[in-house]
Amino acid sequence: MPVTIKDVARMSGVSISTVSRVINDSKPVSSNIRDRVFKVIEETGYVPNPVARSLVMKKSQLIGVITPGSSQYTMSEFLNGVEEIARMYEYDTILCNTYCESSKEIAYVDLLKSKQVAGIIFITQNLNEELDKKLKKSAIPTVYYTLGTPMIPGIDYVDVDRVEAFAKLIEKVTDEDDGDMLYLRPEKKEEDYKESSKEEILKKALKKKNIKLAKCKIIYGADSVEKAYELVENAMKKSKNIKSIISSIDEATLGSLYYLQDRGKIVPDDVKVAQVYETQITKIIRPGITSISLPLYDMGAVCARMIVKDIENREKSKEKKINEMILPYTLVERKSTLK
């Protein structure tokens, strides 16, 4: 049978509440009693029950991470950063995947609240004001990784300057002959989601480069290689002036390249191709694809450090300060845009 806190108390000759005080360092205990309790814990291999401990302490050593889809947004590096820093500060992480369904966001907030998590890292593409109010009411420290979402004032968040990055990406695919551009996006999946943040960023980036929105055709539905191939084919049959293609996911990039190769089009001489954010595919495919490299590990690490700092400050009753962190990105130009 596993050793319980009751066993530790009996073997130490103290009360259960005294053992709890020693483990949680919640109230002063004499050094003699503390040493005696820790000696029994070491000898028996007793491990405190995290659920019971969280009920006593009114919080756990857990940080919840709510994500719209770890694979879709290539979040593995980000999550590695979160987990490593959280572990450094003796916190565990619990991952909640919403698959881009806003209803699941609310459900997961309630779940994490019931588990008395110490804090929440929220990865979102569409910031829900109602949900933000719910989180603030719960008083759970929360940090957002925004994926370019327009910010609600008064929240902690980590991101890069996505408008500036997108503008620089557009600069790499724009020819002097003022050709048209395709922007391939996956299908919209949620009616209650507003205009895609990436679409908003695109419009701002085009404006920044003094390019008319009419010169860029946004095409939805490029969820697979086959669908992207078909969409590019249809678009290029309608317009002979398409000189560049920007895709938001690997499948759209591959579908574009396969179509261009099948039609004898040379990349980048005939058509330039770029992908918004760098993945392993953009690095290994030929030609290499120009893309924006995000500091994903650093973003995750910064989010974890921000949430731990917020937790510690609140425990010390310090005044809450809003933290907004914009990290540097790298635009990696490869052969898909280099003539």
Side-chain angles (χ1 to χ4, degrees):
M1 295 289 292
V3 179
T4 66
I5 190 172
K6 186 176 180 179
D7 296 326
V8 174
R10 176 178 53 77
M11 296 171 70
S12 303
V14 298
S15 66
I16 293 174
S17 60
T18 299
V19 175
S20 178
R21 292 190 196 109
V22 171
I23 293 171
N24 298 312
D25 196 23
S26 55
K27 290 184 180 180
V29 176
S30 70
S31 58
N32 181 43
I33 291 177
R34 182 180 297 276
D35 291 344
R36 199 159 75 227
V37 170
F38 276 130
K39 183 179 180 181
V40 171
I41 289 174
E42 184 178 355
E43 290 175 348
T44 59
Y46 169 70
V47 178
N49 185 322
V51 175
R53 185 176 182 181
S54 67
L55 291 172
V56 172
M57 301 296 291
K58 304 299 181 184
K59 77 174 187 70
S60 66
Q61 289 296 108
L62 272 178
I63 294 174
V65 182
I66 300 177
T67 171
S70 55
S71 60
Q72 183 178 357
Y73 292 95
T74 58
M75 284 289 97
S76 58
E77 280 295 304
F78 179 93
L79 296 173
N80 286 343
V82 170
E83 187 174 18
E84 189 163 326
I85 298 303
R87 194 186 303 118
M88 185 188 303
Y89 288 96
E90 299 183 346
Y91 284 87
D92 293 319
T93 55
I94 178 170
L95 182 64
C96 304
N97 196 330
T98 68
Y99 299 99
C100 296
E101 295 181 26
S102 57
S103 59
K104 286 187 177 180
E105 293 178 341
I106 296 175
Y108 276 133
V109 168
D110 290 337
L111 173 66
L112 294 175
K113 185 178 178 181
S114 71
K115 292 185 177 295
Q116 297 183 324
V117 295
I120 296 175
I121 295 173
F122 212 126
I123 308 167
T124 182
Q125 186 166 333
N126 294 276
L127 193 56
N128 186 317
E129 292 191 32
E130 181 183 349
L131 185 59
D132 182 61
K133 289 178 182 178
K134 185 181 182 73
L135 283 165
K136 286 178 178 176
K137 188 176 181 180
S138 73
I140 300 174
T142 305
V143 172
Y144 291 88
Y145 169 38
T146 65
L147 297 173
T149 305
M151 282 296 91
I152 296 173
I155 69 170
D156 293 353
Y157 72 91
V158 175
D159 205 352
V160 299
D161 188 335
R162 292 176 187 257
V163 173
E164 179 189 78
F166 216 141
K168 289 186 176 181
L169 184 70
I170 288 171
E171 187 177 279
K172 296 300 180 183
V173 299
T174 305
D175 284 319
E176 295 79 4
D177 60 6
D178 198 29
D180 292 337
M181 179 190 309
L182 295 182
Y183 180 37
L184 302 178
R185 301 277 294 120
E187 195 69 62
K188 288 183 178 179
K189 294 182 179 179
E190 286 270 328
E191 291 181 1
D192 56 341
Y193 271 10
K194 298 177 182 178
E195 181 181 44
S196 163
S197 61
K198 285 193 177 76
E199 191 171 320
E200 290 183 14
I201 293 167
L202 170 69
K203 290 179 178 179
K204 291 177 182 178
L206 288 170
K207 185 177 180 179
K208 193 168 187 176
K209 303 308 295 184
N210 295 316
I211 298 173
K212 293 180 180 178
L213 182 59
K215 300 300 292 182
C216 180
K217 182 174 179 57
I218 302 171
I219 300 178
Y220 286 94
D223 299 284
S224 67
V225 173
E226 294 78 14
K227 191 62 178 176
Y229 186 107
E230 179 184 334
L231 292 171
V232 173
E233 181 177 33
N234 292 338
M236 296 197 77
K237 283 180 179 178
K238 292 177 182 178
S239 173
K240 304 299 181 183
N241 196 37
I242 295 172
K243 299 297 182 182
S244 57
I245 299 173
I246 297 178
S247 59
S248 59
I249 59 174
D250 291 333
E251 290 83 353
T253 299
L254 291 170
S256 302
L257 289 176
Y258 292 161
Y259 172 77
L260 294 172
Q261 290 168 3
D262 286 350
R263 293 300 178 274
K265 301 286 186 181
I266 299 174
V267 178
D269 294 351
D270 297 321
V271 180
K272 291 185 177 182
V273 177
Q275 185 167 311
V276 182
Y277 299 120
E278 184 175 75
T279 66
Q280 288 301 314
I281 292 294
T282 63
K283 298 177 185 179
I284 65 176
I285 198 173
R286 293 294 177 266
I289 305 298
T290 295
S291 55
I292 300 163
S293 177
L294 298 176
L296 291 170
Y297 178 90
D298 293 341
M299 285 174 155
V302 170
C303 280
R305 182 63 189 97
M306 283 173 65
I307 204 74
V308 169
K309 185 177 179 181
D310 192 4
I311 294 166
E312 292 174 348
N313 285 345
R314 294 195 192 194
E315 288 176 351
K316 296 174 183 176
S317 299
K318 289 187 177 181
E319 184 180 350
K320 166 65 180 168
K321 293 183 179 179
I322 303 302
N323 295 294
E324 302 171 355
M325 186 71 70
I326 302 297
L327 298 181
Y329 64 88
T330 304
L331 179 63
V332 183
E333 186 169 18
R334 298 188 176 91
K335 289 185 178 180
S336 68
T337 61
L338 284 169
K339 286 191 177 181

